[in-house]
Amino acid sequence: MTIEYIRYEMPDGELQEKLRASYIEAGKSLQASAHCLGYELTQCEEDATCFVLRIQWDSTEGHLEGFRRSPEFREFYRAIAPYVSNIKEMRHYGLTNVEWRRS
């Protein structure tokens, strides 16, 4: 599994609301992709202008070769295109053997 993190900087409240609404729409495309295992959009509590989207992919190849070449990606991109210039970081991360969760 690969985790993609996309960090946004959204300077005002109206844009922040639009980003959330756009990801509700874009989420439909993620849910339709066999390569997407889950996603979440978070907003920083200390600095409300910062958002992080976390997407779990089956693999980096599944994301880049599968999803990005699919009709679902075109719909996804259409929903989030107005915010691409607000992306400050977009990277893929692999899991390590260090983890713990309370059950």
Side-chain angles (χ1 to χ4, degrees):
M1 178 173 38
T2 296
I3 310 296
E4 179 184 22
Y5 289 95
I6 305 171
R7 189 171 54 87
Y8 289 91
E9 188 173 300
M10 306 302 292
D12 69 53
E14 184 178 333
L15 268 181
Q16 295 167 11
E17 285 299 320
K18 288 180 178 181
L19 179 74
R20 283 190 283 273
S22 293
Y23 266 107
I24 289 171
E25 186 61 33
K28 296 173 187 173
S29 299
L30 293 173
Q31 291 171 31
S33 173
H35 300 287
C36 181
L37 305 177
Y39 62 91
E40 61 192 14
L41 179 65
T42 59
Q43 185 174 14
C44 182
E45 293 181 357
E46 290 81 19
D47 181 355
T49 66
C50 297
F51 287 78
V52 174
L53 178 70
R54 179 181 182 270
I55 307 175
Q56 295 173 285
W57 297 104
D58 58 357
S59 65
T60 302
E61 295 76 24
H63 173 217
L64 299 177
E65 304 297 322
F67 179 68
R68 286 242 179 127
R69 294 183 178 184
S70 72
E72 290 85 13
F73 176 73
R74 288 187 287 283
E75 292 299 316
F76 173 84
Y77 191 80
R78 191 175 335 219
I80 60 99
Y83 315 104
V84 169
S85 65
N86 297 90
I87 294 174
K88 299 303 172 192
E89 180 181 21
M90 181 169 40
R91 297 182 184 226
H92 294 94
Y93 291 83
L95 297 175
T96 69
N97 64 343
V98 181
E99 70 175 306
W100 180 84
R101 287 182 183 80
R102 187 172 305 278
S103 49

